Amino acid sequence: MRSTMVRQLAARDLLPEAHETNENGRPEALVESYRRLAEVYHQVLSAQSLDTLLERIADTLSDLMPYEALHVYEANEERRELVPVLARSDSHHDAIMQSRPAFGEGITGWAVENRRPVWTNRAHLDPRVVNVPGTPVEPEALITVPLIARGALKGALNIYRLGDDAKFYEHEFELATWFGDAAALAFDNAQVKARLEHLAQTDSLTGLYNHRFFHERLRSELTRASRSHDPVAVLMFDLDDFKRVNDVYGHGAGDQLLLHVSRVALETVRGSDVVCRIGGEEFGVIMPSCDAGDALGLAARLTDRLREGEFEPAGSVTLSIGISQGPHHAMNPRELIACAEAAMMTAKSRGKDQVVLYDDGETERPQPGSARDVRSIAHLKMLQSLAGKLNRLNDVQQIGATIATELRLLIDYHNCRVSLRDGDELRPITFIGDHGAGIGAPADAYTTKVGVGITGRVAETGQSLLVPNALECEFAVKIPGTDELEESLAVVPLRYGSRVTGVIVISKLGLDQFDEDDVRLLEVLAGQASVALENARLYEQQRLEAEAAKEAAEIANALLEASRELATAETPEDVLGRSVEVATRVLGTERAALWIQEEAEPHDLVARASFGYPRDDDPSGRRRYPSSVAHDWLEGSEPFVIEACDIAQIQGADAGEATRIVVAPLKLEHNRVGALTATIGERTLADRQLRLLAGLAHQAKLAIESAEHYMSLERTFVSTVAALANALEAKDDYTASHARWITDMSMLVGRELELDREALKRLELGALFHDIGKIGIPSEILQKPGPLTDEEFEIVKEHPELGEKILAPIDRLEDVRPIVRSCHERWDGLGYPDGKSGTDIPVEARVVLVCDAFHAMVTDRPYRARLPHGEAVRRLLESAGTQFDPTTVEAFVRLYEAGEILPLG
């Protein structure tokens, strides 16, 4: 309990009004909260690890709003449950981490189900509460915030304080929601990053690791092997006669065969082995802590598994397998792979369905019997080189240019273009080669629809086309501005999974310029290129999302700055005026106005505040619009621009005199509307500025409703004051008129003493109620025509304490009660009821005493006649320093000498 009380006191100290202010007049605690929130957002955007970010958020919240426990959950949408990822708690940590709250279960489940934050200072009494198994039921205050990013539920943030007196404050609830947004963004970034990393290192068809991961993992394994003196085996295998499967049964059957072999490989290797698809029908296995003998054993198991059954419709499947061992054969990843590849090629040259261990002296290379074989080897080298280059790129334009440039080293084409699909359109991202001057830009000339022309046909069917003569192709469509020429084309689709994402087209003048090998080369290249292009697209998407998040953070910072400025306003009208002032500065406009529909009939829309308008054109307090016009224009929720002609029509002015304005509608209580408007002239506002204006309008709405609630409270308070005053008047006519005069005169003296606004407010109420305790004094004593006895005077002396007790139930009069109690204390300490002296007496009570004494001396009483004003002043001066505060007497006398003493009622 002691720890709880310490935290409660610490939290109370962090209230904005409890802190000193900086040079700008802003509460230091509030400024610190914004600064720490900005730091957390900066770390979220800098892509730190999720665990680090969540720990930082928990630490920051612990500093800004001390808590007993904090839990962070990640949402499992598929199972509709919350999984704890962080638990800060002095006890029951294991029970919390083992729990799995369901959506809709308990307060936290309710919050995520309804996507609404919950703040309750009596959580244990809430009917929605469900206790976590293994934890005690105890009094607690709870804030739970559903973590939502880009419209998706990411998890929940729970903050607890324990004990009977535990509670959170409104500013802490708002702070928790801000940090909840940061936690949601951290979850979202981590999930996107994991998804991108997975895509970047896996093969889209088989799900195995890809060429890039194969090289990176082998490099790390060789480094580890060097330190620990362990061997590393590399096994590479190639499907024999895979080309025949594609040619005879189609690429779909080929894909199914690759998937089948992938599954067999995964089922055959050890758990620590790494299986990768390097490209086409070529696979590699990294075997940590294994030598060549282990790899030969795996090769035997793999070939036996494949011989056990046949793959329909191709029949039996055989492999050519090459094995190398590091560091025995090589320590460099590329060299070790080259050794395994050389052994694999030797297996093929020996008749396929072979397993060969690399031997520098005996390993054979396939002897090319034709130019076609030489070209196939060159193709393999080019594809290996290209894969490495593509994996280093993340820009689609650069990837397209690299594909076209590398391809030209092997195939002599006339032009090459790489097109990506965007909906029903195919738009070139790269064009290399010659084109007619009359067709304009290639990006426009070669843009086509899916299903239109040879390129569109390939995109529609997902099947490659070898076109010996484009003039005789039934799918060909002539491009406007080009001549009819005999031209050969090879066209292959870019496929990512089952989707066709684009097309690669090469063309060359003349007939039959390309063959099936060229098409297969393009298909293999397209397989690598499609993954690289998809990764680049996802990278660009993530980059744009990061920019959007950065923009959102900038908007949030601007709105936080605006909130900070609004927090410094002292009165409701100051809040409204500050809102329009901030709007002009943030939007960079000259004029702004805040319009609110009146509650009273006829419910006109009026300008409550304005900034930047000349006096003769200021709409504030002058211009008003009927309710019908207000609702016609302001029923929407998003900001919009009103053109000058429409403004002129509404205002009945000349269109040449009107100017365009941007309007952010407001929805207020009691079905009222309002708007935050700003003049923009001919400017065009960006989406960011419109969102910022919408945020400012929302803050203005909150400020308006807060001001209206404040005024409602003020009216209620004034009614309470009036009721008490009426009760006093009914008791004693003298006391009633006396109190009103004392109040007005005390305010004059207070201003003469230069008391601040809050002190004057206390003085006004203290003077009004300084004799309220006389309600409890018998009427026969108050109205006695002669002097009081000692016993009667002792009874009268009780009225300051009675007055304090009467005011005690009214929270708003808490600061007034000490004044009422001390209005009869003397400067020399001889007063009552507490015998206070000097500056220990509230200054407001000292003012009331001087005014009260003067009024008593110059007023007829049942037991004596009034004194002249001059004599009363002389007696005040005579008693200054004994009965009265000398400074207060001097101020009163200055007013008297200036003729500013109020006439007696």
Side-chain angles (χ1 to χ4, degrees):
M1 182 61 72
R2 179 180 176 85
S3 175
T4 301
M5 292 298 294
V6 169
R7 286 184 170 90
Q8 294 296 316
L9 292 172
R12 202 168 291 118
D13 288 342
L14 289 172
L15 283 167
E17 59 268 23
H19 265 267
E20 296 180 357
T21 58
N22 61 18
E23 64 273 17
N24 297 319
R26 297 167 180 166
E28 289 288 358
L30 195 60
V31 173
E32 177 66 9
S33 299
Y34 294 146
R35 185 184 68 79
R36 300 290 291 276
L37 179 62
E39 288 177 356
V40 169
Y41 267 104
H42 174 75
Q43 291 176 341
V44 169
L45 296 177
S46 65
Q48 295 192 18
S49 70
L50 177 61
D51 290 343
T52 301
L53 288 170
L54 294 180
E55 291 285 353
R56 180 58 187 270
I57 289 171
D59 290 341
T60 304
L61 282 172
S62 177
D63 292 340
L64 296 177
M65 46 182 297
Y67 53 76
E68 267 77 25
L70 179 143
H71 306 156
V72 181
Y73 299 89
E74 185 173 12
N76 185 330
E77 290 274 18
E78 182 178 351
R79 302 183 63 176
R80 290 183 56 78
E81 67 180 16
L82 297 169
V83 180
V85 294
L86 176 66
R88 290 278 187 90
S89 178
D90 294 338
S91 58
H92 315 298
H93 175 274
D94 292 342
I96 296 298
M97 295 302 292
Q98 292 171 8
S99 66
R100 295 293 184 272
F103 290 9
E105 177 186 349
I107 299 176
T108 307
W110 186 93
V112 300
E113 183 80 14
N114 294 273
R115 299 195 173 197
R116 290 171 55 189
V118 175
W119 163 29
T120 171
N121 287 331
R122 294 292 182 269
H124 56 293
L125 301 179
D126 194 299
R128 298 167 294 186
V129 71
V130 173
N131 202 53
V132 175
T135 64
V137 178
E138 55 187 333
E140 61 184 16
L142 166 65
I143 292 176
T144 181
V145 181
L147 307 181
I148 299 170
R150 295 189 298 165
L153 179 67
K154 302 298 177 181
L157 168 65
N158 284 11
I159 308 172
Y160 299 86
R161 284 185 182 146
L162 307 178
D164 293 326
D165 298 324
K167 65 178 178 179
F168 288 101
Y169 300 92
E170 183 174 2
H171 77 283
E172 293 177 316
F173 176 62
E174 187 174 8
L175 190 64
T177 60
W178 292 341
F179 277 87
D181 291 340
L185 186 58
F187 271 117
D188 188 61
N189 285 352
Q191 291 166 358
V192 171
K193 181 181 178 183
R195 188 164 62 251
L196 290 176
E197 288 176 347
H198 176 74
L199 290 172
Q201 63 188 19
T202 55
D203 172 58
S204 60
L205 174 63
T206 63
L208 299 176
Y209 291 116
N210 60 14
H211 179 276
R212 171 186 175 185
F213 184 84
F214 180 71
H215 281 263
E216 292 176 349
R217 180 62 179 269
L218 182 57
R219 180 179 293 106
S220 66
E221 286 297 335
L222 284 173
T223 302
R224 182 197 60 79
S226 176
R227 290 196 304 266
S228 60
H229 305 290
D230 260 356
V232 176
V234 174
L235 182 150
M236 295 182 66
F237 62 92
D238 187 272
L239 276 66
D240 295 332
D241 300 318
F242 182 72
K243 172 182 177 300
R244 183 181 63 83
V245 175
N246 277 336
D247 290 346
V248 175
Y249 303 105
H251 290 283
D255 288 346
Q256 290 302 312
L257 177 56
L258 292 172
L259 286 168
H260 173 67
V261 172
S262 300
R263 285 194 294 268
V264 170
L266 287 173
E267 292 168 359
T268 306
V269 300
R270 303 175 306 160
S272 58
D273 296 339
V274 181
V275 184
C276 304
R277 183 187 177 197
I278 300 174
E281 68 270 30
E282 186 173 317
F283 295 78
V285 182
I286 302 172
M287 304 177 65
S289 301
C290 290
D291 57 18
D294 298 316
L296 288 169
L298 172 61
R301 294 195 303 273
L302 188 58
T303 53
D304 289 343
R305 283 288 306 276
L306 290 173
R307 289 194 186 104
E308 288 174 1
E310 293 189 346
F311 176 80
E312 296 295 336
S316 62
V317 180
T318 62
L319 306 176
S320 294
I321 302 176
I323 296 171
S324 63
Q325 176 184 323
H328 177 66
H329 294 137
M331 269 303 298
N332 181 286
R334 286 191 176 276
E335 293 178 2
L336 189 60
I337 292 170
C339 293
E341 184 180 26
M344 182 183 70
M345 300 295 283
T346 299
K348 279 193 174 295
S349 70
R350 292 178 178 175
K352 306 175 185 177
D353 194 17
Q354 301 282 326
V355 179
V356 174
L357 173 64
Y358 177 78
D359 187 316
D360 191 44
E362 299 181 4
T363 302
E364 303 168 11
R365 289 285 184 177
Q367 298 298 318
S370 65
R372 177 176 179 176
D373 294 327
V374 174
R375 189 176 66 175
S376 296
I377 296 174
H379 285 179
L380 289 172
K381 291 182 178 179
M382 186 278 288
L383 290 171
Q384 183 179 11
S385 172
L386 179 62
K389 292 179 180 180
L390 294 182
N391 285 332
R392 291 191 294 270
L393 300 176
N394 53 29
D395 179 82
V396 293
Q397 305 288 342
Q398 293 178 352
I399 291 173
T402 300
I403 293 169
T405 302
E406 293 289 323
L407 192 57
R408 200 164 205 172
L409 299 176
L410 292 176
I411 302 178
D412 182 23
Y413 58 73
H414 177 64
N415 66 44
C416 171
R417 62 182 180 270
V418 180
S419 299
L420 292 184
R421 182 169 182 171
D422 183 10
D424 291 332
E425 270 195 345
L426 291 165
R427 180 171 291 275
I429 60 169
T430 296
F431 183 95
I432 291 181
D434 303 323
H435 65 280
I439 68 172
D444 296 325
Y446 291 100
T447 296
T448 187
K449 298 286 187 181
V450 174
V452 177
I454 297 173
T455 305
R457 172 75 177 182
V458 171
E460 182 179 49
T461 63
Q463 301 296 319
S464 302
L465 280 179
L466 177 62
V467 182
N469 184 357
L471 293 178
E472 297 178 359
C473 179
E474 60 178 308
F475 309 120
V477 174
K478 184 176 180 294
I479 297 174
T482 62
D483 299 326
E484 292 190 353
L485 300 171
E486 291 182 339
E487 185 178 33
S488 303
L489 288 89
V491 188
V492 299
L494 290 166
R495 303 178 67 95
Y496 188 80
S498 61
R499 293 185 293 116
V500 175
T501 60
V503 176
I504 299 177
V505 182
I506 58 173
S507 65
K508 188 175 182 181
L509 296 178
L511 303 179
D512 295 310
Q513 296 296 309
F514 304 115
D515 59 20
E516 292 290 345
D517 285 340
D518 295 321
V519 173
R520 276 189 287 278
L521 171 66
L522 282 175
E523 289 173 341
V524 176
L525 184 149
Q528 296 177 342
S530 61
V531 174
L533 288 167
E534 182 68 7
N535 288 344
R537 185 189 67 80
L538 291 173
Y539 173 85
E540 179 65 12
Q541 177 182 335
Q542 177 65 12
R543 186 186 65 80
L544 293 175
E545 289 176 355
E547 289 181 354
K550 180 180 178 182
E551 182 181 62
E554 291 175 351
I555 292 175
N557 285 336
L559 293 177
L560 288 173
E561 180 69 22
S563 297
R564 193 161 51 192
E565 290 210 29
L566 292 179
T568 64
E570 295 185 351
T571 66
E573 293 304 316
D574 285 346
V575 171
L576 302 180
R578 196 69 60 83
S579 297
V580 292
E581 182 181 348
V582 169
T584 58
R585 185 170 63 257
V586 171
L587 294 178
T589 60
E590 295 181 356
R591 304 173 184 176
L594 190 58
W595 302 80
I596 301 173
Q597 190 177 7
E598 293 178 320
E599 290 188 75
E601 293 286 347
H603 306 300
D604 285 347
L605 184 71
V606 299
R608 286 280 301 276
S610 62
F611 184 83
Y613 284 88
R615 180 173 299 179
D616 56 351
D617 194 35
D618 190 349
S620 184
R622 299 173 55 191
R623 193 169 296 156
R624 53 199 307 124
Y625 299 103
S627 173
S628 57
V629 172
H631 280 273
D632 286 344
W633 283 95
L634 302 177
E635 279 301 323
S637 58
E638 297 298 324
F640 61 95
V641 174
I642 301 181
E643 299 297 332
C645 57
D646 294 325
I647 295 174
Q649 183 178 358
I650 296 172
Q651 297 180 353
D654 186 352
E657 298 175 359
T659 182
R660 296 167 71 240
I661 63 171
V662 62
V663 179
L666 307 176
K667 293 293 185 293
L668 304 173
E669 295 178 338
H670 311 304
N671 197 33
R672 292 180 301 139
V673 296
L676 179 61
T677 65
T679 59
I680 58 173
E682 299 303 316
R683 290 174 53 197
T684 299
L685 296 182
D687 290 342
R688 173 184 176 277
Q689 292 173 301
L690 291 176
R691 290 196 297 273
L692 186 54
L693 179 63
L696 290 173
H698 179 69
Q699 289 186 337
K701 169 185 179 294
L702 296 178
I704 292 167
E705 291 179 345
S706 177
E708 290 178 345
H709 293 162
Y710 177 84
M711 288 186 289
S712 176
L713 288 174
E714 282 290 302
R715 287 194 294 268
T716 302
F717 174 67
V718 170
S719 299
T720 302
V721 170
L724 287 170
N726 289 338
L728 185 58
E729 291 185 23
K731 187 76 172 178
D732 183 5
D733 290 340
Y734 165 77
T735 301
S737 61
H738 166 79
R740 285 194 295 272
W741 187 91
I742 296 299
T743 300
D744 296 340
M745 193 64 221
S746 293
M747 293 298 289
L748 290 177
V749 175
R751 294 189 184 96
E752 181 70 17
L753 290 172
E754 299 182 350
L755 299 184
D756 61 30
R757 179 175 174 274
E758 292 301 319
L760 288 173
K761 188 68 175 177
R762 292 193 300 269
L763 175 59
E764 180 180 14
L765 296 172
L768 182 62
F769 292 126
H770 80 281
D771 275 342
I772 193 72
K774 289 184 178 179
I775 292 177
I777 305 302
S779 300
E780 57 270 19
I781 294 178
L782 290 178
Q783 298 173 4
K784 184 177 179 180
L788 300 178
T789 65
D790 291 343
E791 292 79 6
E792 291 170 337
F793 184 60
E794 288 300 321
I795 294 173
V796 171
K797 286 169 61 177
E798 295 174 1
H799 82 270
E801 295 178 86
L802 289 173
E804 182 189 30
K805 292 178 181 178
I806 290 171
L807 301 182
I810 305 174
D811 291 339
R812 281 293 309 276
L813 297 178
E814 181 179 1
D815 293 339
V816 178
R817 296 200 301 270
I819 302 171
V820 172
R821 183 181 180 91
S822 301
C823 279
H824 290 278
E825 299 287 0
R826 290 169 51 107
W827 185 258
D828 56 13
L830 300 179
Y832 59 88
D834 301 313
K836 293 182 179 179
S837 64
T839 56
D840 289 341
I841 306 170
V843 64
E844 300 90 347
R846 287 178 258 153
V847 172
V848 172
L849 179 63
V850 171
C851 297
D852 188 15
F854 179 84
H855 186 270
M857 287 188 284
V858 299
T859 305
D860 286 326
R861 298 310 313 251
Y863 51 85
R864 62 155 177 78
R866 74 181 70 181
L867 297 175
H869 285 194
E871 176 59 20
V873 169
R874 186 191 67 77
R875 294 190 181 188
L876 288 178
L877 290 170
E878 184 179 53
S879 299
T882 55
Q883 183 176 359
F884 307 117
D885 173 14
T887 304
T888 303
V889 171
E890 290 173 4
F892 186 93
V893 171
R894 285 197 299 273
L895 292 172
Y896 172 77
E897 292 175 346
E900 296 184 22
I901 295 299
L902 298 173
L904 300 177

